[in-house]
Each structure stands twice: as structure tokens, then as C-alpha cells.
Amino acid sequence: MAEEMSACTRFKNFYSVCLLTFSVIIIFGLIFNSQTKLSSEVSPWLAFFVVLGAIGWLSMVEGGQGALVGLAPINFDLYKETHPVTFKSTKVCYKGDNLDRYLMGRQFMVVLIVFCTNMAGAPLPGATLWGFPQVILDIFLTTGVAMILMTTMIGQLNSQVTAAHCMLDYINNYFAVFTFYVAMAVEFSGLLHASYVVQIIVAKLSGQTIESSEPPRSMAGNVFFWSRCLMSLAILAFSLAITLEALFQGQTTMWKGVPNPVAVVVFFVSMSIVGLLEGMQIAFFAVTKLRASERGNSYFAKKTCELLFRGEGYNLPGFMIGRQICVTLNFFVVARVTSLNIVPGQGNNIFGVPDWVQSFFNTGLLGAIITTILGSISWQLVASAFPIAFLANPLVYIFLRIALALEATGVCSGAWVLASIHKKIVGFRRDEVYIGTAEERARQNKEDHPENMRLEHGLRKLPGFIDCPEALEVLMARDPRVADFIKRMSSEVEMVDADI
């Protein structure tokens, strides 16, 4: 059976790499035949380098996320000498709420990079290439399959697979440091602060308190924060107005023959699918540690969890791969629907704005803002606050099935091949080579950062304790029996206090 599975895996890898190779060839063929927006309006060489740069940067954004999230609990002393450039990013990333800020800025970067890739590499309406039959053009170009395969395998899954086991090596370069600070700058700009308003509303509705690793903001800090929130809400409303006006007027790169009202529906449906898939990821991880009895009584919640955690639990990573394909597909659909194709200077500018403003609108930045806030971050926040209720949605079960079916086809199995080649070329080594396993780190007395552990220990209710001693906190993390004992003792003290 193992040999049969191995042969099946090799076949999937082979045909996936063949599809990827063909996709890359025809995309660059389109570019050098001036059959994409950027190559036809500016220069094929510019479009070529934009695609290369965007895919390369996307790989750092995706891999960097996995590395920075995964390294959060690791003691700095274990790698600041062997990986000094990695330390330049992590020492800033793990101060206060900077990791959350980075993740928000990084989300916008992913959407914007995909929009830029679409502008530089997506085919113009009616594009032809090298006499290929129309059916081939329809499958790979009209539907966007070629762009999706290239972006997903090279720019996303490949880097995620590599960074999952080689976090320290992956971001031990100044390109990673630059990417980190760009994400921080995006968040600092306030462009996405409307997401914080959504977060506050969701927290109020759920009766939860928003946790922070920083002291309360000062008066000046509050003014600065809320002014950026108001600015972000205004930008979001303006972006929606511009995009909807263009859609109703048929002034976007939407496929020919699609009625304008249908284009509007496609826009909102595609964003909703992206949001649903983003929320599913958060909700699934939120329930992984819950017992079956704690996952709700809803029929679809139970069906979803039964399918997700069936057998050895391989369906969760399988969903992540299928989800990535679905999300990228819908990103490209949204990019196509919201990218304006108005030529400045012909009197057709949206709301009569100056030509230079119209040229700015044509970049797709407005669509990226809308998608990031309304189609990604907001759904993640809702799923984080209400994971069980989120799973009760029957669409969650349907899209889990779709994602697993996509992963089973092996269409993106080439990402594993690329990751293996990438790792060998650059000489990446697994993190355990440098910092050991969790057990080995514990034996060296170099355990996780206490401030990043966030354990629910209950010790603050015990007499004589202001906070949990670090050594005991570490012991509780390593031995569940100690944690259970402390919690029982805390409960008994509470009962004694109540009797007194």
C-alpha cells in the first residue's frame, strides 16, 4: 500500500510540475506578446519584472508570516548569535502587540501583490497565443488557471512548506527584515484601521475583552488611534463608492458579456467566499484543542468537525492547501472585477476626477483595500470571537469538501517539489539543528518566553501570589498534571474564601 501511495504521489508531483511549467511559459508568452494590461500599456519588460518581483516578494511575505508566528515562543538566546539578521526582525516583532500589527499589514501586502500580479500577467480580453486552440486558452487563460497555479505554487505554498521547518534560515536575510518593516509601516499608516473598529464591535457583541500586551493608550495615543480609524473608514467608503460606480458603468476589466449588475454580484460573492475561507481557517484552529462534546450541538458543526478531524487528522493540512487554491482563485476574480480600465484623458473619469487621480484608481489599490478589510480581516475577527457559531454555517461544510477535493487532485503537489529544490539550493537546515527540540530546550533551561505563553493558570487568585512564578509556569506548561493540580488547589481556595 505504501508503494502504491508513493507512486500516486510521484504521479501527482509530475503532472503538477508539468502544469506549472506550461502555465509559466504561456504567462511570459502573453507578456512578451503585449497581451497583458501592463505589457500593452507600458512595456513587456516592465511587466516581466513586475511578475517576477511580485511572486518573489509574495514568497517572502507568506514564508515570513509562518516563521515569525512560529518563532514567537523561542528564547532569543538560542539563535541571536547564529542568526543575527533573524534576530533583527524578531526582537521588534515580539514587543507588545507588534506581531498583531505585522499580521494586519502583511494581509494587505498579500492582496496588493496579487492585484499587481494580475495587472502585469493576466491576459487581455480576447488574447491569443501561438495558435493555441481556443479550449486551451479558455482553460488556462480566460479562467485564470495559469496565474493561479503560478502564484499559488511558487509564491505561496512553496514558501509556506519551506518556512514551516526552516523558520530561522528563511528570514535570516535583509529582504525579510525589509518585508517585516513594510508590513509594520502599512499598519502604522492607518489604512486598515477600520478593521480595529470591526474588532471592537465584535468584542462588544461577544462580551469578550480585547487582550493586549501593552499598557492602556494615553490621551494623545487615543486621539492618534481613533483619527486613523476614522480616516480608514472614510477611505473604505470612498473605495466602495468608486468601485461600485465603475462596476455599474461597466468600466472594469470584468470579462466581456457579463452584465454590469451581475458583475456587482460576482464582486460581493467572491469577497464573501474569501472571507468565509479566511474565517474557516481561524475557526478550525480554534476548535482543534476542544473535546468533541465542546464543539457545539449544530448538525453542520458536528459534520464539519467529524470530517476535519477524521482518522489521523490529515484533513486539516489538506484543507489548508485546498483553501489556498480557493482563496487565490477568488483574489484574482476580485482583482479582475475591481480593476478599472478607464483611459485617462478621454472624458470618462470616475466622478470627473483629474487624469492623475484616475491613473491612481486604475492601479487596483482601492480593490485591495476593500478586499483586505471586508473580505479578509473582518471575517477572521468574527470567526475568532464565534468559532462554534461559525462552524454551524452549512457553507463551511460545503467549502471544506471543496477544499479537500481540490487538494486530492494533486494539482498543487508541485509546491512540494519546488520546496525541496529551494531548500537544497540555498542550504536551509531544519530549526532543530540550531535550537533543538522543545524537550532539549527545556533541559537547557532555555524555555519559551513567558510573556508569549499566555497560560490560563488561575494562580492570581491564590493568597500570596501577585503573578505566576516563571519556573512554576514553565513546569505547568511541560507537565499537564501539575497544571491540573494547581487549578484544583485554586478552586478549593475559592470555595474556602466563599465559606468564610
Side-chain angles (χ1 to χ4, degrees):
M1 185 65 180
E3 292 180 359
E4 182 181 342
M5 289 299 295
S6 179
C8 179
T9 300
R10 286 197 298 270
F11 173 73
K12 288 181 179 180
N13 290 345
F14 173 74
Y15 94 79
S16 178
V17 170
C18 290
L19 287 175
L20 174 62
T21 303
F22 180 70
S23 299
V24 171
I25 290 172
I26 61 175
I27 288 171
F28 288 143
L30 284 173
I31 289 174
F32 285 107
N33 280 277
S34 299
Q35 299 265 13
T36 70
K37 182 178 180 180
L38 190 60
S39 64
S40 64
E41 295 179 358
V42 185
S43 164
W45 282 104
L46 176 61
F48 173 73
F49 285 113
V50 166
V51 169
L52 287 184
I55 296 295
W57 201 5
L58 182 61
S59 68
M60 180 54 69
V61 173
E62 293 285 5
Q65 176 200 20
L68 287 171
V69 172
L71 290 173
I74 306 300
N75 194 307
F76 289 146
D77 293 336
L78 291 168
Y79 62 84
K80 68 180 181 181
E81 298 296 333
T82 60
H83 294 76
V85 183
T86 295
F87 181 60
K88 289 180 182 293
S89 296
T90 58
K91 69 179 180 181
V92 177
C93 186
Y94 305 143
K95 285 184 178 179
D97 296 328
N98 281 350
L99 180 57
D100 294 332
R101 296 187 178 100
Y102 158 76
L103 291 173
M104 180 174 290
R106 168 253 167 216
Q107 188 67 40
F108 176 75
M109 290 173 68
V110 171
V111 178
L112 183 60
I113 289 171
V114 170
F115 272 60
C116 291
T117 306
N118 178 74
M119 182 173 60
L124 293 171
T128 59
L129 182 67
W130 302 328
F132 280 134
Q134 189 61 40
V135 64
I136 299 295
L137 297 177
D138 288 341
I139 293 173
F140 284 91
L141 300 182
T142 305
T143 62
V145 166
M147 288 294 294
I148 293 167
L149 292 177
M150 184 178 74
T151 304
T152 304
M153 279 196 270
I154 300 178
Q156 296 178 301
L157 293 178
N158 155 50
S159 56
Q160 291 170 2
V161 169
T162 304
H165 300 292
C166 308
M167 302 176 194
L168 289 170
D169 283 344
Y170 200 91
I171 60 173
N172 194 42
N173 57 81
Y174 284 98
F175 185 33
V177 176
F178 171 75
T179 300
F180 167 72
Y181 278 105
V182 170
M184 293 292 289
V186 169
E187 190 280 338
F188 181 79
S189 71
L191 198 62
L192 306 175
H193 270 50
S195 300
Y196 289 126
V197 178
V198 175
Q199 182 185 39
I200 292 169
I201 294 173
V202 170
K204 293 291 185 182
L205 292 175
S206 63
Q208 297 178 352
T209 302
I210 300 175
E211 295 184 2
S212 175
S213 300
E214 297 178 349
R217 287 186 294 268
S218 63
M219 178 66 72
N222 271 320
V223 171
F224 186 49
F225 172 78
W226 284 107
S227 63
R228 286 183 291 172
C229 288
L230 291 174
M231 178 194 72
S232 179
L233 288 170
I235 291 173
L236 176 61
F238 180 72
S239 300
L240 278 169
I242 294 293
T243 301
L244 290 175
E245 174 68 14
L247 283 170
F248 279 116
Q249 296 300 323
Q251 295 175 313
T252 73
T253 56
M254 185 65 177
W255 292 280
K256 286 185 177 181
V258 178
N260 296 341
V262 176
V264 176
V265 173
V266 170
F267 168 55
F268 283 106
V269 169
S270 295
M271 274 209 310
S272 298
I273 292 174
V274 170
L276 183 70
L277 291 164
E278 295 282 9
M280 286 170 65
Q281 175 183 223
I282 299 298
F284 287 171
F285 280 111
V287 301
T288 52
K289 303 302 182 184
L290 298 181
R291 294 190 297 269
S293 59
E294 298 174 327
R295 293 171 183 164
N297 297 319
S298 165
Y299 172 79
F300 280 104
K302 291 180 177 179
K303 289 278 290 183
T304 299
C305 291
E306 188 276 329
L307 175 60
L308 188 66
F309 303 114
R310 181 180 296 169
E312 299 296 323
Y314 294 129
N315 280 351
L316 180 56
F319 160 77
M320 296 302 293
I321 294 175
R323 166 201 164 275
Q324 191 69 69
I325 300 171
C326 291
V327 167
T328 306
L329 166 63
N330 282 278
F331 274 159
F332 277 111
V333 171
V334 173
R336 182 144 194 154
V337 171
T338 60
S339 295
L340 278 59
N341 64 352
I342 300 172
V343 180
Q346 295 186 355
N348 297 320
N349 295 356
I350 293 287
F351 298 148
V353 299
D355 290 346
W356 68 270
V357 176
Q358 185 59 57
S359 298
F360 172 74
F361 290 166
N362 290 349
T363 62
L365 179 63
L366 302 184
I369 293 172
I370 297 170
T371 306
T372 303
I373 297 176
L374 298 183
S376 182
I377 297 175
S378 297
W379 288 73
Q380 293 174 2
L381 293 172
V382 171
S384 177
F386 308 103
I388 304 300
F390 200 90
L391 293 181
N393 185 342
L395 290 176
V396 170
Y397 180 76
I398 293 172
F399 276 92
L400 172 59
R401 284 285 187 187
I402 293 173
L404 292 176
L406 283 173
E407 189 278 333
T409 66
V411 70
C412 283
S413 295
W416 297 93
V417 179
L418 294 179
S420 178
I421 295 173
H422 180 199
K423 181 179 176 182
K424 290 179 181 178
I425 290 176
V426 298
F428 284 166
R429 305 172 73 184
R430 294 179 69 95
D431 295 321
E432 289 80 5
V433 174
Y434 304 107
I435 60 176
T437 63
E439 292 77 11
E440 291 169 344
R441 294 196 296 272
R443 287 196 293 268
Q444 296 173 13
N445 292 323
K446 292 186 177 181
E447 297 87 354
D448 297 343
H449 295 297
E451 66 271 21
N452 290 340
M453 295 173 73
R454 298 183 181 181
L455 297 176
E456 295 295 326
H457 42 66
L459 276 179
R460 291 177 179 82
K461 299 177 181 177
L462 288 176
F465 282 104
I466 302 300
D467 202 349
C468 177
E470 180 178 329
L472 183 56
E473 192 172 61
V474 170
L475 182 59
M476 291 168 63
R478 290 166 54 185
D479 192 340
R481 293 173 299 177
V482 176
D484 290 340
F485 172 75
I486 293 297
K487 288 179 180 178
R488 287 199 307 271
M489 185 168 63
S490 177
S491 299
E492 291 171 2
V493 170
E494 284 186 88
M495 288 188 290
V496 171
D497 288 342
D499 292 337
I500 293 174

